[in-house]
Amino acid sequence: MIMRDVATDKSTFVPNENTVSKIQDFQEDEELFRYCCLPEILKYVECFTGPNILAMHTMLINKPPDSGKKSSRHPLHQDLHYFPFRPADTIVCAWTAMEHVDRNNGCLVVLPGSHKGSLKQHDYPQWEGGVNIMYHGIQDYNKNSPRVHLVMEKGDTVFFHPLLIHGSGQNKTKGFRKAISCHYTSSDGHYIDVKGTSQENIEKEVIKLAHKFRGLEVDNITLKDVWQMRARLVKGKRTTL
Ligand SMILES: O=C(O)CCC(=O)C(=O)O
């Protein structure tokens, strides 16, 4: 799935690599998926997931130079908001910088220790310059808690818990800030029904998009179905997820 920044001018739009802000769900692309299978990455992932490892969510992020509207920012959020699978402690994100990243080009920012809290309500932030599709954020976090900006070099990888509150700043440079990431989970986990929970809003949005972009005509699909289709085994056995 190719994503474009909300600030993209539709009247002068010419599709080329400069208009791609993110590629999602690359699990069927053999070249990109090699990232998810790298032993250097799996060595650490396995500490969280155990031996049966599923790649659930894949992203190649090409954060564009900010257009002046600050829409290149990614609001503070917890990735578990998007996931209907549990337990949370067996999910881990690997995020690898593909070039030097710092505050100037919009590196990751994290609230250390926030993964010990609970899943919070997520909604679209009220940003004047617009917000990218699916960029839900949280308001209810400790505004006094210190923020750590992750300055990283090309190839550096950070591994983090799905409850960790994180986001990224605007890209103030003229270059595209590139990173690649994969969310892994143990295949021995289980799905939850998100109806009646804070995740109901994301389920509705994801299903709408699945109908629109993937041409899924079936009724009654759930967030679980979407994730079951995305999941790809990287190591061990596919058991319950
Ligand atoms: O790479 C970034 O700018 C942030 C990515 C992120 O947090 C996400 O997509 O969940």
Side-chain angles (χ1 to χ4, degrees):
M1 182 186 276
I2 293 177
M3 320 284 283
R4 303 185 199 281
D5 194 273
V6 63
T8 307
D9 183 351
K10 294 188 183 61
S11 60
T12 56
F13 177 71
V14 184
N16 62 33
E17 70 269 25
N18 290 345
T19 64
V20 176
S21 60
K22 196 185 261 189
I23 293 174
Q24 286 210 138
D25 299 338
F26 62 64
Q27 67 277 15
E28 302 304 330
D29 182 288
E30 287 318 307
E31 182 57 20
L32 291 177
F33 196 71
R34 276 198 316 112
Y35 166 75
C36 305
C37 305
L38 289 174
E40 304 93 307
I41 300 274
L42 294 182
K43 178 170 92 176
Y44 297 103
V45 166
E46 203 162 353
C47 303
F48 300 91
T49 59
N52 296 326
I53 311 176
L54 285 180
M56 300 300 278
H57 188 215
T58 50
M59 287 186 293
L60 184 71
I61 308 155
N62 193 37
K63 190 196 268 284
D66 197 88
S67 65
K69 296 186 168 168
K70 299 189 184 167
S71 60
S72 65
R73 290 174 296 169
H74 199 134
L76 290 174
H77 65 282
Q78 296 165 301
D79 292 334
L80 195 67
H81 172 62
Y82 298 88
F83 303 152
F85 41 90
R86 301 290 187 275
D89 286 345
T90 61
I91 304 171
V92 64
C93 176
W95 189 102
T96 301
M98 293 172 71
E99 61 195 313
H100 173 85
V101 292
D102 58 25
R103 289 186 77 167
N104 218 24
N105 61 359
C107 64
L108 288 181
V109 56
V110 306
L111 271 48
S114 52
H115 66 288
K116 294 181 186 150
S118 54
L119 181 59
K120 316 240 181 250
Q121 177 70 41
H122 287 62
D123 294 295
Y124 278 112
Q126 303 292 311
W127 287 349
E128 265 177 40
V131 186
N132 283 311
I133 191 163
M134 310 261 263
Y135 278 27
H136 292 192
I138 55 179
Q139 288 306 319
D140 169 27
Y141 61 90
N142 180 359
K143 310 272 185 314
N144 297 320
S145 71
R147 295 181 179 204
V148 174
H149 291 87
L150 304 187
V151 176
M152 295 165 69
E153 300 305 328
K154 180 175 179 170
D156 283 353
T157 300
V158 60
F159 297 88
F160 60 91
H161 190 279
L163 282 171
L164 184 77
I165 299 175
H166 67 286
S168 63
Q170 56 172 305
N171 180 0
K172 297 181 189 146
T173 70
K174 293 198 164 61
F176 288 77
R177 192 229 64 193
K178 291 184 173 53
I180 188 164
S181 89
C182 179
H183 284 89
Y184 300 90
T185 192
S186 161
S187 81
D188 307 329
H190 59 276
Y191 287 101
I192 58 159
D193 183 353
V194 299
K195 283 188 188 57
T197 75
S198 66
Q199 293 177 261
E200 202 166 349
N201 59 356
I202 192 67
E203 175 169 61
K204 285 201 181 115
E205 196 171 339
V206 168
I207 289 169
K208 223 160 125 187
L209 286 174
H211 283 296
K212 191 167 166 193
F213 292 112
R214 293 178 180 234
L216 286 178
E217 294 301 337
V218 273
D219 289 333
N220 303 323
I221 60 166
T222 62
L223 199 54
K224 169 184 167 181
D225 300 321
V226 172
W227 285 102
Q228 248 176 346
M229 281 187 278
R230 278 181 172 153
R232 186 166 164 193
L233 189 68
V234 292
K235 204 169 170 187
K237 288 200 183 87
R238 188 161 180 176
T239 55
T240 48
L241 279 188

